[in-house]
Amino acid sequence: MHIHRSFLKQFSSRIAPKNKTLPKKLLVKNWKIVRGDEVMVISGKDKGKTGQVTEVSRKTNGVYVRGLNLAFKNVPKDEETPTGKIQKEMQIHVSNVALIDPSTNRPTKVRLERYLNSTTGKPAKRRVSMSTGTAIPKKLDLAYQKVWKDGIFDTVSEHVSK
């Protein structure tokens, strides 16, 4: 009797994709680095280099920095990749990067500070540099709006204006 591979994925650790999340006690609770931040690598092979955070993986405590920690990966050969190798950004542990203070352009430690938001009147948190005391705003990443397309479930603008 032959059992289909898709059914075996549920039980076999050899076939099923491995769960790459960390245990709950090892996860970073208060993230101070978000997508779009300028960071400097403070340890590793790219030590001293700066770049912009493109992705944050909270399940593995890692960040992806544009153009840093590059590795070659093997892919099937085709017209786009005749050699079968591509360079890919690999993640860097969040403890190995430091946020750059916009006032000094130097890496700095950051603390979260509670304050009263003047527009909403509600308490909020902001990131403050430990070295200079300046607030570091979070960048709004609106790059996805350039490629935004209406789907089949989106309301037509003519119906909204009625």
Side-chain angles (χ1 to χ4, degrees):
M1 180 173 110
H2 184 268
I3 300 173
H4 195 265
R5 183 182 173 111
S6 62
F7 181 73
L8 285 174
K9 281 185 182 180
Q10 301 171 15
F11 307 107
S12 173
S13 62
R14 190 173 65 93
I15 298 172
K18 293 180 180 167
N19 187 4
K20 295 183 180 179
T21 59
L22 292 173
K24 205 169 193 175
K25 63 181 180 180
L26 295 177
L27 294 177
V28 174
K29 291 171 185 60
N30 294 325
W31 278 79
K32 298 172 181 92
I33 297 176
V34 295
R35 184 172 56 192
D37 282 341
E38 285 291 322
V39 294
M40 179 180 280
V41 179
I42 56 175
S43 70
K45 69 176 186 178
D46 292 325
K47 181 178 179 177
K49 296 181 182 176
T50 62
Q52 187 177 20
V53 176
T54 57
E55 187 181 340
V56 175
S57 176
R58 292 177 187 233
K59 291 181 178 180
T60 58
N61 291 344
V63 294
Y64 292 86
V65 183
R66 181 173 290 131
L68 298 182
N69 201 20
L70 297 173
F72 282 100
K73 291 291 173 183
N74 293 323
V75 295
K77 293 182 181 182
D78 58 0
E79 295 83 31
E80 295 176 7
T81 56
T83 61
K85 291 186 179 184
I86 59 167
Q87 257 191 333
K88 183 179 177 187
E89 295 166 353
M90 303 304 289
Q91 75 176 6
I92 304 171
H93 195 270
V94 70
S95 66
N96 295 336
V97 296
L99 200 58
I100 291 182
D101 189 354
S103 60
T104 61
N105 286 334
R106 305 268 306 142
T108 182
K109 291 184 178 181
V110 177
R111 64 182 162 86
L112 292 176
E113 179 182 88
R114 292 185 177 269
Y115 74 103
L116 191 63
N117 194 340
S118 59
T119 58
T120 61
K122 295 182 180 180
K125 291 182 182 177
R126 66 176 160 207
R127 303 178 297 176
V128 177
S129 169
M130 294 283 276
S131 57
T132 60
T134 58
I136 303 172
K138 291 184 179 179
K139 297 206 168 93
L140 290 175
D141 187 23
L142 303 176
Y144 65 90
Q145 290 184 350
K146 295 176 183 173
V147 293
W148 195 289
K149 293 181 181 172
D150 288 339
I152 57 172
F153 296 113
D154 289 333
T155 308
V156 183
S157 59
E158 298 151 2
H159 295 292
V160 175
S161 61
K162 288 183 181 177

